Amino acid sequence: MTDLAELFPDGDHRFHLTLRRSEPREFFAARDVSGRVLAERARWLAGEPARYAVCEAECVSPWWEFRAMLECDGVGRAAEWPDGADAEPALRGMCRLGGRIEPDFLFLTADAEGKFRLRGGVVCFPTGWALDEKIGQTLDSIHGVVPGLNPALGATIGQFLAKLKPGVAYLRDNWGLAATDELNLHPARGLPPPALPVSLDRLWLRVEHQALVALPESGGIAFGIRIALHRLDRVAATPAGPALRRALAAMPAELADYKRLRSVLGPVISLL
């Protein structure tokens, strides 16, 4: 895992595509010895599967290839999953796997113009977005809601994905602040953003540890997301505290609005 202080740039705010190489099995393997993460994932998928799992026809081949990759890596057991070549059995298998591995997983494939589109996946722990609303969209469209991201990195991301090599997990991180230690921040739940008055022991640094894995047979890409939460008063007592303070102070106003932090930004900076 990334050292928390390394999440934050030393200077002014900028979007950057800093990637690290790893192995897919290391990212998707179990880490939560308590079993609570898997229990919660299974609960959400059992209660409202259509909200947390989607599979388009273009997702089927990447899904089976992803399943086979995890079987070879010893993460899952394919013998327990249903067979089939269409979206319905693939979706059932995705839901079953979604309750057995800790990270969320998504699948991207390129369209006729070479633009990568979101085709399906299992997302039990979204950070304020709904999977079914993003299905079929290009990455440019999905990222378009983030102020400044497409102009800074849109072309770079597309070029990187087109050249992604199989057999390696490319890791990156994204972060924000949350007013809860809940893992599932689906917008339908209506959980509030950070608000005044501010107390660091009631705020969390929410980190998305992300992995991109090319799938050689289907040409698709598997995108994994693993959520980590760090209470802000504890972060403040580490070298990551000053680094986070600098990053928040340099955050553009429009990005603070998007992250729903504008009202608390000044007080949090002061407390850090």
Side-chain angles (χ1 to χ4, degrees):
M1 279 300 179
T2 308
D3 184 293
L4 286 182
E6 296 178 3
L7 291 173
F8 315 111
D10 292 333
D12 293 340
H13 168 81
R14 65 182 178 86
F15 290 106
H16 54 89
L17 191 63
T18 302
L19 297 161
R20 309 178 305 282
R21 293 169 62 99
S22 184
E23 295 183 4
R25 71 180 307 166
E26 291 184 5
F27 183 85
F28 288 100
R31 297 175 187 170
D32 174 33
V33 296
S34 72
R36 293 173 184 168
V37 170
L38 292 185
E40 182 173 351
R41 294 181 65 81
R43 177 166 60 87
W44 292 117
L45 285 166
E48 297 177 282
R51 176 173 289 174
Y52 300 106
V54 179
C55 181
E56 287 193 326
E58 294 88 347
C59 181
V60 174
S61 293
W63 150 246
W64 293 122
E65 191 173 1
F66 178 72
R67 186 195 78 163
M69 179 189 74
L70 294 192
E71 178 190 8
C72 292
D73 282 343
V75 177
R77 293 179 294 173
E80 297 185 8
W81 302 326
D83 294 323
D86 57 33
E88 185 175 345
L91 181 59
R92 290 198 301 269
M94 287 165 57
C95 287
R96 185 170 297 186
L97 179 63
R100 294 183 177 179
I101 62 173
E102 295 165 4
D104 288 324
F105 52 91
L106 299 157
F107 300 105
L108 309 169
T109 67
D111 62 17
E113 298 178 356
K115 295 182 178 181
F116 281 91
R117 294 180 179 270
L118 179 60
R119 302 302 191 180
V122 175
V123 182
C124 297
F125 303 145
T127 303
W129 62 284
L131 174 61
D132 59 343
E133 295 177 0
K134 304 297 183 181
I135 289 297
Q137 293 187 22
T138 65
L139 287 184
D140 282 350
S141 177
I142 292 171
H143 291 158
V145 298
V146 184
L149 178 57
N150 276 339
L153 288 182
T156 302
I157 292 171
Q159 292 166 7
F160 172 76
L161 293 180
K163 297 178 181 178
L164 199 60
K165 301 299 183 185
V168 180
Y170 290 88
L171 310 182
R172 68 179 303 273
D173 308 291
N174 192 24
W175 62 272
L177 301 184
T180 175
D181 60 352
E182 291 270 359
L183 290 168
N184 180 3
L185 299 188
H186 194 287
R189 301 190 68 205
L191 297 176
L196 299 173
V198 166
S199 177
L200 295 187
D201 63 352
R202 296 198 299 271
L203 291 173
W204 282 262
L205 175 67
R206 183 180 174 96
V207 183
E208 289 188 356
H209 298 290
Q210 303 173 350
L212 291 158
V213 181
L215 303 170
E217 298 298 326
S218 65
I221 294 172
F223 179 42
I225 305 173
R226 182 186 285 273
I227 300 295
L229 293 161
H230 309 271
R231 213 172 73 186
L232 222 54
D233 59 332
R234 296 170 181 167
V235 174
T238 72
L244 174 58
R245 186 181 190 278
R246 289 193 302 270
L248 291 173
M251 184 178 291
E254 61 272 18
L255 187 59
D257 284 336
Y258 167 73
K259 290 178 175 285
R260 303 199 296 175
L261 298 178
R262 175 74 79 94
S263 66
V264 302
L265 202 56
V268 170
I269 291 169
S270 298
L271 290 172
L272 287 170

